[in-house]
Amino acid sequence: DTSVSPCTPTLRVRPLTCTETRRGDQQVVHSLGDGAVHVSAARHDATFGFSAVFDAGASQEAVFEGSGMRQLVELAMDGFSCTVFAFGQTGSGKTYTLMGPLGQGDTQPASPALLGLMQRSFTCLLEQSQSRASDLALSASYLEIYNEQVRDLLSPGPPCALPLRWSKSRGFYVENQLSVEFESLEAIVSLLLQVPPPAGSQRRRTSAHALNRHSSRSHALLTVHIRSRAASACPSKQGTLCFVDLAGSERVKETGSSGELSVEANSINRSLLALGHCISLLAKPRGKRTHIPYRDSKLTRLLARSLGGSGITLMVACISPSSRCLSETLSTLHYASRARRVTTRP
Ligand code: ADP
Ligand code: MG
């Protein structure tokens, strides 16, 4: 089977925020339809192509249905390793896209219409699990990469770094990682929001809002393991669905004309830079591909399987339409254009 499944980049442009509107920011990003988006400002005028573009008016449901997320969930149920990652500067809408609006207080559940890709995927999985003849066993693990340390967000007590190992049979894996079975949407969502606080902050269970604020400095990876408890004869399948809320990309710097990412000394961004590097190498034609340096960061090791050929990746690039975010927006668009050329053979 040579069918090629690209690492599909999808673009989401959030609406201008009240603050941006109040101070009179110009809207510099315009969707042209057919996956094209146009950026026009004083000295910039460029058009970028995506598999899908969702502009300010797009609902959470439209993003779920139009991005290919539903198909990704179905592939994960069929035993594939699937990953969706949200990329963009802090405040561009990554967490909103994945989880919906956070920070209205812990007790107030978000309106169903505003639920993000994660909750919609969980619902889809749980529905399928109930309707399919073969039962699905669902469990989740939740990690963050902070300062190049992998931490288990499900483990109680102060966060501690877990070793990331490699074995021939499993590939890269995190040792002693906790995983929790779930059978309802409430269970998995409370798992997501009730994580222990990150290091440095107070030792209480954190609010969703604090989690989101922290997320600009760490990568959060929620992995759902899907095991089909198949009826006797058919082999049991094991798929994964991983949601990655990447750290804010605003510290990523590009060097001049080569377009290659340069490595900043800052360890917080190391994995983001390594991811960009792996993506740009994977974007080369198959025959011309050199060694892919997954080992350069914890993030790329953890994502190696989905990025590197046996998995399916959906990338959601998030941008603000504001003129004030122009340079970050252009850098996100360039980063995403590289991902467009990545092909895999799941
Ligand atoms: P990030 O996770 O990229 O830092 P957030 O998801 O926290 O950004 O979004 C920043 C702010 O913009 C939040 O207040 C969020 O509710 C709002 N926002 C983001 N995307 C949208 C959208 N599509 N529609 C309405 N509000 C949005
Ligand atoms: Mg966020």
Side-chain angles (χ1 to χ4, degrees):
D1 183 1
T2 56
S3 72
V4 168
S5 167
C7 167
T8 325
T10 291
L11 180 71
R12 188 170 205 192
V13 191
R14 69 155 167 76
L16 284 169
T17 62
C18 298
T19 317
E20 287 168 342
T21 309
R22 221 178 302 123
R23 70 181 178 210
D25 287 12
Q26 293 300 304
Q27 183 147 343
V28 294
V29 181
H30 300 277
S31 167
L32 304 175
D34 280 338
V37 72
H38 187 239
V39 181
S40 61
R43 289 180 296 113
H44 296 274
D45 198 44
T47 304
F48 297 82
F50 287 86
S51 59
V53 173
F54 301 96
D55 60 18
S59 66
Q60 295 282 69
E61 186 188 5
V63 176
F64 181 76
E65 298 297 342
S67 62
M69 189 67 226
R70 184 183 285 281
Q71 289 89 311
L72 206 66
V73 174
E74 282 160 8
L75 286 163
M77 282 189 280
D78 285 336
F80 291 98
S81 315
C82 300
T83 304
V84 51
F85 61 91
F87 171 80
Q89 75 179 114
T90 300
S92 60
K94 299 181 294 295
T95 304
Y96 184 97
T97 297
L98 290 175
M99 298 164 111
L102 299 175
Q104 277 119 24
D106 295 339
T107 49
Q108 192 102 25
S111 142
L114 299 182
L115 294 176
L117 293 179
M118 281 177 154
Q119 295 97 326
R120 287 169 198 275
S121 303
F122 303 150
T123 302
C124 189
L125 280 172
L126 290 159
E127 277 169 11
Q128 288 292 320
S129 151
Q130 270 142 33
S131 71
R132 285 196 176 192
S134 65
D135 228 352
L136 296 178
L138 304 174
S139 61
S141 53
Y142 197 17
L143 300 171
E144 75 167 348
I145 302 171
Y146 180 69
N147 271 345
E148 274 302 286
Q149 288 189 341
V150 180
R151 297 156 163 193
D152 196 328
L153 290 169
L154 297 181
S155 76
C160 63
L162 295 179
L164 183 51
R165 305 203 187 281
W166 187 87
S167 84
K168 210 165 179 179
S169 58
R170 299 175 66 182
F172 292 106
Y173 67 96
V174 177
E175 196 170 82
N176 297 326
Q177 177 182 11
L178 292 179
S179 114
V180 178
E181 296 224 0
F182 66 93
E183 289 181 338
S184 73
L185 183 62
E186 295 71 41
I188 175 78
V189 169
S190 75
L191 203 86
L192 268 177
L193 300 180
Q194 299 295 306
V195 299
S201 64
Q202 57 283 58
R203 293 261 175 271
R204 60 170 178 79
R205 279 174 146 1
T206 189
S207 71
H209 188 60
L211 179 71
N212 193 31
R213 220 171 331 144
H214 173 71
S215 76
S216 66
R217 293 183 290 127
S218 71
H219 308 293
L221 291 88
L222 180 98
T223 308
V224 179
H225 307 269
I226 305 154
R227 222 162 2 96
S228 61
R229 289 183 283 222
S232 56
C234 31
S236 85
K237 287 181 283 195
Q238 273 201 55
T240 53
L241 184 57
C242 183
F243 298 87
V244 187
D245 192 341
L246 288 170
S249 60
E250 59 276 4
R251 295 185 195 89
V252 177
K253 296 279 176 284
E254 283 195 284
T255 53
S257 56
S258 75
E260 288 295 322
L261 291 163
S262 74
V263 179
E264 279 188 334
N266 193 341
S267 67
I268 299 172
N269 302 307
R270 201 167 119 192
S271 39
L272 211 50
L273 293 157
L275 178 63
H277 191 210
C278 286
I279 287 176
S280 62
L281 290 174
L282 284 163
K284 292 186 176 169
R286 228 157 233 290
K288 292 189 181 157
R289 254 182 227 173
T290 48
H291 166 73
I292 312 290
Y294 295 114
R295 287 182 183 269
D296 280 3
S297 78
K298 299 276 164 69
L299 179 70
T300 43
R301 274 183 249 185
L302 283 173
L303 294 178
R305 197 177 326 182
S306 7
L307 289 173
S310 66
I312 304 153
T313 301
L314 169 65
M315 171 166 167
V316 185
C318 297
I319 57 173
S320 154
S322 161
S323 49
R324 298 218 182 184
C325 300
L326 182 64
S327 78
E328 290 303 336
T329 293
L330 287 169
S331 124
T332 300
L333 291 168
H334 284 298
Y335 193 100
S337 316
R338 268 200 301 269
R340 189 178 173 79
R341 296 187 296 268
V342 178
T343 56
T344 62
R345 277 162 209 248

